[in-house]
Amino acid sequence: DGYSIYIDSNMELRNLTGLAGLQGNLPGGLSIDNNAKLVSLQGLQGITSLGKSTDDGTSIYISGNTELRNVHGLAGLPGDLLGLLWIENNAKLVSLQGLEGITSLGSSIDGYSIYIYNNAELRNLTG
């Protein structure tokens, strides 16, 4: 489906620090979905660019991570994202800090560039 990193439904996963050795460009998108105890994305800061999913055109998909508080681990992403930035249903997400290096976005196959929905603790889009 075109994702370089796909982390889904790991109910006991608390962190991504084991991925800290990843460096540079990834040709596909990043999907982090439904990891109930994941608190942060630390471990991904070595990624400097992402492509997008060939399935739907998404570059970053972060959804259903009920304990996720921030996206600081994506601070290594400067410049352009080729596809959609999709962040939804992360109940404790309070900040988008870590995404401030992104300067432009492509779009999904549906034409969306940013989709941010139902993140109950997110008070603003600072980041």
Side-chain angles (χ1 to χ4, degrees):
D1 58 15
Y3 285 100
S4 290
I5 298 176
Y6 188 85
I7 301 170
D8 187 1
S9 300
N10 300 285
M11 295 304 124
E12 296 300 319
L13 182 67
R14 297 177 189 279
N15 65 66
L16 303 176
T17 56
L19 299 177
L22 288 174
Q23 302 289 316
N25 306 325
L26 298 178
L30 168 68
S31 177
I32 302 174
D33 184 25
N34 196 33
N35 300 287
K37 294 183 180 178
L38 185 65
V39 176
S40 82
L41 303 182
Q42 292 300 321
L44 300 179
Q45 54 270 32
I47 299 170
T48 56
S49 72
L50 288 168
K52 63 182 181 178
S53 164
T54 54
D55 185 39
D56 62 8
T58 299
S59 286
I60 298 175
Y61 178 70
I62 301 170
S63 177
N65 302 290
T66 54
E67 295 296 318
L68 185 67
R69 290 174 173 74
N70 65 66
V71 294
H72 295 160
L74 298 177
L77 287 172
D80 305 334
L81 281 183
L82 299 177
L84 169 66
L85 170 64
W86 185 343
I87 301 174
E88 70 172 350
N89 299 325
N90 301 288
K92 294 185 179 176
L93 185 66
V94 296
S95 170
L96 295 181
Q97 287 182 330
L99 300 178
E100 55 269 69
I102 297 170
T103 56
S104 69
L105 296 164
S107 63
S108 68
I109 60 171
D110 296 326
Y112 294 107
S113 293
I114 298 175
Y115 184 85
I116 299 173
Y117 174 75
N118 197 33
N119 299 287
E121 296 296 318
L122 187 62
R123 301 280 189 255
N124 60 59
L125 299 180
T126 302

